[in-house]
Amino acid sequence: MNKTLSRTEIRHQIRTARRDLSGLQQKQDADSLFSRLIKHSRVQQAGKISVTLAYDGEIDTLRFVEWCWQKNKKIYLPVIHPFNKGHLLFLEYTTKTEMVLNQHGIFEPKLNQLDACPMKELDLIFTPLVAFDTQGNRIGMGGGYYDRMLAPWFKDKTGPYPIGLAHDCQQVQQLPVEEWDVPLPEIITPSMHFCW
Ligand SMILES: Nc1ncnc2c1ncn2[C@@H]1O[C@H](COP(=O)(O)OP(=O)(O)OP(=O)(O)O)[C@@H](O)[C@H]1O
Ligand SMILES: [Mg+2]
């Protein structure tokens, strides 16, 4: 029977596929992604970039982060906002950053107001996702953090430009979309660069 999968089922299926990638595949994917990212004109022009560190089989961005540091580009990691429920803060990430586990079991920089960057000052937001489709729709882990954050961008296209990062195996034909889901204008995988 050809049943349409729910968002929960898609999340489960893709997260499992991602976690099942071998160490060698993860390394090759990270290297291919790195080669694409450093050639991207928006990356070359950016001074402040938000990225996430790999979690739960996500594609590894560490080589890219280190390249950015060498090029004097500042890297910011999202941190769960301590008071504003469902929202994120961006904290600078350097070799000296102290990391702590957040409520979802993900490492994030220890909260320090001095390291926070107002979102509008970022040039690029590399956006994590669980699954994406052929139209640029994305679903994440289900928190709505990125949908909330990108809602103003979706409305008037001002502010930091979002680019999704994923393994190739995270692509599906068509996602069930909700009214609040923000589609991405670009998604980069090890073997594809999608622009919509
Ligand atoms: N702009 C928004 N304002 C208020 N609530 C929102 C907004 N966007 C999403 N949400 C809420 O967040 C919840 C989770 O949304 P969704 O399932 O789309 O998460 P997701 O896309 O997987 O997560 P993320 O955006 O963190 O990657 C939903 O209940 C939705 O109502
Ligand atoms: Mg969503």
Side-chain angles (χ1 to χ4, degrees):
M1 196 172 61
N2 194 5
K3 171 180 167 290
T4 308
L5 296 181
S6 69
R7 286 158 74 94
T8 306
E9 288 166 330
I10 294 170
R11 280 192 184 99
H12 179 73
Q13 210 174 70
I14 303 280
R15 288 181 67 175
T16 303
R18 203 168 62 175
R19 275 195 300 263
D20 284 348
L21 292 172
S22 68
L24 178 63
Q25 188 67 55
Q26 283 284 1
K27 170 85 177 79
Q28 287 172 348
D29 281 3
D31 287 347
S32 302
L33 183 79
F34 174 73
S35 305
R36 286 180 183 277
L37 293 182
I38 63 173
K39 286 188 216 129
H40 196 298
S41 59
R42 285 190 185 265
V43 168
Q44 289 170 352
Q45 285 155 25
K48 295 184 174 181
I49 300 174
S50 170
V51 74
T52 52
L53 303 179
Y55 165 79
D56 187 45
E58 285 173 340
I59 195 155
D60 194 349
T61 54
L62 209 49
R63 199 171 157 205
F64 174 66
V65 167
E66 286 168 353
W67 177 86
C68 288
W69 287 336
Q70 280 167 15
K71 299 282 175 191
N72 289 319
K73 297 178 190 295
K74 290 192 173 189
I75 290 288
Y76 295 85
L77 299 180
V79 171
I80 295 175
H81 200 292
F83 322 117
N84 199 357
K85 197 172 178 300
H87 289 261
L88 299 170
L89 278 175
F90 295 93
L91 262 62
E92 191 178 0
Y93 180 49
T94 70
T95 51
K96 298 193 175 68
T97 301
E98 190 182 338
M99 303 293 279
V100 293
L101 271 182
N102 71 16
Q103 65 205 63
H104 302 299
I106 301 175
F107 275 105
E108 60 178 35
K110 188 172 175 196
L111 202 55
N112 172 359
Q113 222 85 337
L114 296 175
D115 294 335
C117 177
M119 180 175 157
K120 64 178 185 326
E121 289 182 16
L122 296 172
D123 298 304
L124 276 178
I125 296 183
F126 284 112
T127 308
L129 56 93
V130 172
F132 69 98
D133 71 12
T134 50
Q135 273 104 59
N137 297 305
R138 71 176 278 286
I139 52 173
M141 306 268 256
Y145 291 99
Y146 279 84
D147 287 318
R148 270 181 216 96
M149 182 171 71
L150 296 175
W153 176 84
F154 189 50
K155 199 164 145 241
D156 57 20
K157 301 293 181 281
T158 58
Y161 183 79
I163 301 179
L165 299 180
H167 294 285
D168 291 293
C169 67
Q170 291 171 247
Q171 188 184 357
V172 301
Q173 197 57 34
Q174 196 174 8
L175 284 174
V177 176
E178 298 287 355
E179 65 193 63
W180 58 79
D181 286 325
V182 176
L184 294 171
E186 275 187 58
I187 293 178
I188 303 178
T189 72
S191 62
M192 294 294 286
H193 184 172
F194 300 88
C195 293
W196 289 278

